[in-house]
Amino acid sequence: MKNHRISTTISEKHWKLLKKHAEKFETQQKTLELALESLENSSKKGPELTLEEEYWMRLKWAKSAVIIEKNAFKLLIETANIELLNELFIRDKIVEYTIELYFQKPLEVCSLEEVINGLVINLKITNWFDTVDYTDEDVYYTMRMTHSMGLKFSKLILVVVENALKTYGVKVEGIISAKTIFIKCLKINSE
């Protein structure tokens, strides 16, 4: 094996660390080689996080999510004052905030596709839905959601998503039932 000579300067803090670990690993050379191998191995640790996993990590940091069992949540929605919840979501811009948190930039500088993706990711990680997806139909996006939470829930989510998209500045049209939500989001005035 061919060896290479290096010469560099390091801070006082790192010099102390090198001396400390050189005692443990016998030489400065072994210490530096082990540190470099450790850096290499930690960068290969595992697969990259999915969008949902990355989003969960940001929500954990922000301490803005609370876990509740799905049937208990359904009961709360069925007995809740939906108008009051709508006011909360609209006033506090909760969904808009979570999109900004995920993309780490203000909503108004996001592209419409980023906003749609942010909504989809946000809705998926809640585990409130059976399915959440969207399609690009050239002049508009169509979001589709299925769930088992009832008509009140559909009404709440429609208002929340419509409000986020209107805040962004696009026109939306929604159709709901007790188990489905369809939202057409026009691309006009957005990209």
Side-chain angles (χ1 to χ4, degrees):
M1 179 161 66
K2 187 174 180 180
N3 291 329
H4 299 274
R5 185 170 214 24
I6 63 168
S7 177
T8 187
T9 59
I10 58 176
S11 69
E12 184 66 25
K13 172 187 169 187
H14 293 100
W15 173 249
K16 287 178 182 176
L17 286 171
L18 180 59
K19 282 177 54 177
K20 173 185 162 189
H21 291 289
E23 289 175 15
K24 181 178 177 183
F25 297 111
E26 300 173 11
T27 67
Q28 290 178 354
Q29 176 187 353
K30 284 183 183 175
T31 303
L32 291 171
E33 288 172 349
L34 284 169
L36 289 170
E37 287 175 18
S38 177
L39 281 171
E40 184 66 17
N41 290 337
S42 68
S43 69
K44 296 178 181 176
K45 222 171 202 171
E48 286 200 24
L49 297 176
T50 65
L51 293 175
E52 289 86 1
E53 291 166 335
E54 186 177 323
Y55 196 59
W56 265 117
M57 297 301 290
R58 290 203 178 141
L59 286 176
K60 181 179 188 270
W61 170 81
K63 298 186 186 292
S64 64
V66 177
I67 295 174
I68 183 170
E69 195 274 331
K70 194 171 184 176
N71 285 327
F73 179 70
K74 182 179 179 184
L75 179 64
L76 288 173
I77 291 296
E78 288 170 353
T79 59
N81 180 336
I82 294 299
E83 289 75 29
L84 191 58
L85 281 173
N86 285 338
E87 287 177 28
L88 171 74
F89 276 98
I90 292 168
R91 182 190 70 227
D92 292 356
K93 304 281 185 210
I94 294 170
V95 173
E96 293 87 331
Y97 166 72
T98 59
I99 293 169
E100 291 176 340
L101 177 67
Y102 178 74
F103 287 110
Q104 297 290 292
K105 59 184 177 181
L107 189 70
E108 58 269 7
V109 299
C110 291
S111 69
L112 178 57
E113 187 171 20
E114 285 176 321
V115 172
I116 298 290
N117 278 322
L119 286 166
V120 168
I121 291 165
N122 190 2
L123 296 171
K124 278 183 178 181
I125 68 166
T126 63
N127 290 322
W128 297 342
F129 297 90
D130 299 322
T131 63
V132 179
D133 65 1
Y134 76 94
T135 53
D136 185 340
E137 311 288 341
D138 291 327
V139 295
Y140 60 90
Y141 291 102
T142 301
M143 294 181 67
R144 295 172 186 85
M145 294 155 259
T146 62
H147 61 86
S148 59
M149 306 293 272
L151 186 59
K152 275 185 141 182
F153 179 77
S154 289
K155 289 177 182 179
L156 174 66
I157 296 303
L158 179 63
V159 168
V160 168
V161 172
E162 280 183 337
N163 187 65
L165 291 166
K166 287 176 183 175
T167 297
Y168 180 72
V170 294
K171 295 178 183 176
V172 293
E173 300 170 8
I175 300 172
I176 62 168
S177 74
K179 293 184 178 263
T180 60
I181 305 166
F182 297 93
I183 300 174
K184 184 188 289 186
C185 174
L186 303 175
K187 292 182 179 181
I188 299 169
N189 301 329
S190 60
E191 296 183 311

